[in-house]
Amino acid sequence: MRVYVPLTLPGLAEAYRTGQLAKGPFPAYAVTPALREWYVSEDLEELEYAALSRAALASLRLLAADPDAPRRRVVVAVDVPDKAASAEPGLDPATLGEVRVDGDVALSKAAAVHVDAEDAEADVSAAAEALAAADAGDDDAQFVVDGAEDHELLWYATQEIPNLVGSGEAG
């Protein structure tokens, strides 16, 4: 199963330094039955993009909690055994696509890394600041959060991780 793990650049730097993407159990996002039902598509690429987008929102939440992290969303795509990931059934919009990965996952198992371009930083920063208000129902704040989604995450091969994190040091 392909899962999408939300991180920040410092989190990616730590994973690069230790070789450990995450210790289980940890949250990730995947194409779950609830996501399929909500998205109403049979196209696997579209469904995987929806799961990636959910992970990007979770990365934004990590950024909101870490004001010192560079304002770029980070999502690592990794394949795990099907039995290693479990999802809660239901259509709660807040948890669509969310899975729990029970085991530890080495960074070497990553298939790709998705990161915002530098030109997204201002919109991502504004979105991180507006997130709490958006969660409370503020439509203007939600518009700002949605602005971050206008930026496509760039695809990077795992061999490019050292360049993304400055040879293992977040910056």
Side-chain angles (χ1 to χ4, degrees), residues 2 77 111-115 152-160 164:
R2 168 79 37 106
V113 180
H114 304 270
V115 181
E152 296 287 330
L153 296 178
L154 302 178
W155 181 93
Y156 292 91
T158 57
Q159 298 87 332
E160 296 177 275
L164 289 169

Side-chain angles (χ1 to χ4, degrees), residues 69-157:
R71 306 331 256 172
R72 294 168 73 188
R73 298 168 297 166
V74 176
V75 176
V76 178
V78 62
D79 294 317
V80 300
D82 287 348
K83 64 183 181 214
S86 58
E88 294 295 322
L91 291 175
D92 178 357
T95 61
L96 279 173
E98 189 173 320
V99 296
R100 186 185 77 228
V101 179
D102 291 322
D104 297 351
V105 176
L107 185 60
S108 63
K109 298 293 186 187
V113 180
H114 304 270
V115 181
D116 276 311
E118 288 182 20
D119 68 358
E121 287 183 8
D123 288 339
V124 171
S125 181
E129 290 175 22
L131 196 56
D135 286 346
D138 183 321
D139 290 337
D140 291 335
Q142 186 61 54
F143 182 78
V144 173
V145 170
D146 292 344
E149 293 179 12
D150 290 341
H151 296 276
E152 296 287 330
L153 296 178
L154 302 178
W155 181 93
Y156 292 91

Side-chain angles (χ1 to χ4, degrees), residues 31 35 39-53:
V31 177
L35 185 71
Y39 201 76
V40 191
S41 175
E42 294 301 317
D43 185 327
L44 185 58
E45 281 188 30
E46 286 181 17
L47 292 165
E48 286 182 343
Y49 183 79
L52 172 66
S53 296

Side-chain angles (χ1 to χ4, degrees), residues 17-29:
R17 186 183 68 72
T18 65
Q20 189 76 32
L21 177 60
K23 292 184 111 7
F26 63 91
Y29 293 81

